[in-house]
Amino acid sequence: DKEPSMDRPLYWNFPHYTNQGSRPAAAIRKGNWKGILQYEDESFELYDLAKDAGEETDLASSMPDKAK
């Protein structure tokens, strides 16, 4: 089997709170990049999953053009 291509963007939406502590958010992933929009405060997070699989370093403020 061929591995699915990450060239096309994947989008998901989770507009609910859960009893596990999740917050309402939407996300997009394209290639190694993942962006997360937090619905509570409309903040946006950006991660390079190739270098930061644990999503520990938010790059949105240091890479505003990529975040847009």
Side-chain angles (χ1 to χ4, degrees):
D1 273 336
K2 189 176 175 184
E3 181 108 0
S5 171
M6 290 305 299
D7 290 336
R8 92 170 200 230
L10 299 174
Y11 302 89
W12 59 101
N13 182 38
F14 192 80
H16 309 285
Y17 293 95
T18 68
N19 62 355
Q20 289 90 21
S22 295
R23 298 183 301 160
I28 181 172
R29 174 155 183 199
K30 185 166 190 221
N32 294 326
W33 295 98
K34 181 178 178 185
I36 303 171
L37 173 64
Q38 299 293 343
Y39 288 142
E40 287 181 329
D41 59 7
E42 296 187 9
S43 62
F44 188 77
E45 303 164 18
L46 179 67
Y47 301 97
D48 181 352
L49 299 179
K51 296 177 183 171
D52 182 18
E55 300 176 17
E56 296 180 24
T57 304
D58 179 2
L59 301 171
S61 62
S62 63
M63 301 182 77
D65 290 337
K66 186 67 147 172
K68 282 183 182 184

